[in-house]
Amino acid sequence: QVQLVESGGGLVQPGGSLRLSCAASGFTFSNYAMRWYRQAPGKERELVAGIADGGTNYADSVKGRFTISRDNAENTVYLQMNSLKPEDTAVYYCNARRVYGTGPYSYWGQGTQVTVSS
């Protein structure tokens, strides 16, 4: 079965760092663009970062602080988060979106909580 399992969230002080991981299984990982979204209480889910063959993209609010990467051999996508701010507090979700081949269009993980607070 298809799984996207996020890990690495937690509580960190402002200015600190966290590294999120998303382990994928059950589908052809290399056919999918990988993305990180986040959702804070009372706000819409927003795209944080994405990675595909064309490169990477980031929300303006995280550009220069966050780095998305992927290891296709390990079917894992990462989000390195540095210089964290309280406004980064949210549930972070891993998303896979198909860009090659055939099959389901999108998969979602269950999310991991990131809390930035002193």
Side-chain angles (χ1 to χ4, degrees):
Q1 62 179 1
V2 169
Q3 287 189 316
L4 292 174
V5 181
E6 300 99 333
S7 62
L11 175 64
V12 64
Q13 294 184 346
S17 297
L18 285 173
R19 182 177 173 88
L20 305 184
S21 298
C22 173
S25 60
F27 65 98
T28 304
F29 185 76
S30 61
N31 285 348
Y32 286 74
M34 300 301 299
R35 292 176 168 86
W36 288 96
Y37 288 78
R38 68 186 182 188
Q39 188 167 27
K43 296 185 177 180
E44 294 184 353
R45 187 172 298 187
E46 65 173 340
L47 177 64
V48 176
I51 184 167
D53 287 351
T56 59
N57 61 280
Y58 300 91
D60 288 342
S61 59
V62 308
K63 194 171 298 182
R65 300 187 297 120
F66 291 11
T67 302
I68 188 171
S69 61
R70 66 190 292 167
D71 185 341
N72 284 357
E74 297 295 331
N75 289 1
T76 303
V77 62
Y78 304 94
L79 186 68
Q80 178 67 46
M81 304 185 294
N82 299 326
S83 301
L84 283 161
K85 304 175 180 179
E87 51 263 46
D88 295 318
T89 296
V91 178
Y92 284 71
Y93 297 91
C94 179
N95 169 255
R97 181 125 60 93
R98 182 175 57 78
V99 293
Y100 300 116
T102 59
Y105 176 71
S106 182
Y107 299 111
W108 289 90
Q110 294 301 303
T112 184
Q113 177 71 48
V114 172
T115 302
V116 184
S117 176
S118 59

